[in-house]
Amino acid sequence: MKATIWHNPRCSKSREALAILKETPGVEVEVIEYLKTPPTRARLAALYARAGMTPREGLRKAEDGAKALLGANDDTILDAMVADPILIERALVETDKGVRLGRPPERIREIL
């Protein structure tokens, strides 16, 4: 099975999710450091759709830039995330079985 993780190595939760992936037998892991290689708007929208969540639910609300988006619609939030990927909550993990936000990291086991 292939798993893609949209990863921030400075984030402890993202590192925990990556460790789960690496420890799971039979999982081939693709690591994308999304701050260096951000997803396109279409890709990010597709990830959230597959996860069954809205862009608002994928917004990293602790970031200063998120405060201006509290009343914004999903399109505006997606645009902001693409412009400033630090606003993307991590870690997002995708497999053939779906997409999960690793908050908590154990949630990614649902798609392994």
Side-chain angles (χ1 to χ4, degrees):
M1 164 186 288
K2 181 180 177 186
T4 301
I5 180 170
W6 297 84
H7 178 62
N8 180 345
R10 296 186 67 204
C11 172
S12 63
K13 298 297 182 195
S14 193
R15 289 192 307 269
E16 287 176 41
L18 181 57
I20 290 169
L21 292 172
K22 288 183 173 182
E23 294 166 0
T24 304
V27 175
E28 174 190 332
V29 182
E30 176 186 11
V31 178
I32 300 173
E33 290 189 31
Y34 69 90
L35 294 178
K36 294 179 182 177
T37 309
T40 64
R41 186 184 193 287
R43 180 81 169 117
L44 191 56
L47 287 167
Y48 289 140
R50 282 197 70 211
M53 59 190 290
T54 66
R56 177 173 307 286
E57 292 168 320
L59 179 63
R60 186 166 174 77
K61 294 170 185 69
E63 294 297 328
D64 288 338
K67 291 174 181 64
L69 300 169
L70 294 179
N73 64 32
D74 286 345
D75 287 332
T76 301
I77 292 171
L78 278 173
D79 290 341
M81 289 173 164
V82 171
D84 188 5
I86 196 69
L87 295 173
I88 300 170
E89 186 66 91
R90 62 247 183 194
L92 278 171
V93 176
E94 179 179 30
T95 71
D96 288 340
K97 295 181 180 181
V99 176
R100 292 292 180 274
L101 178 61
R103 294 270 172 184
E106 295 77 25
R107 285 205 60 225
I108 67 170
R109 294 184 195 279
E110 298 170 5
I111 58 170
L112 298 178

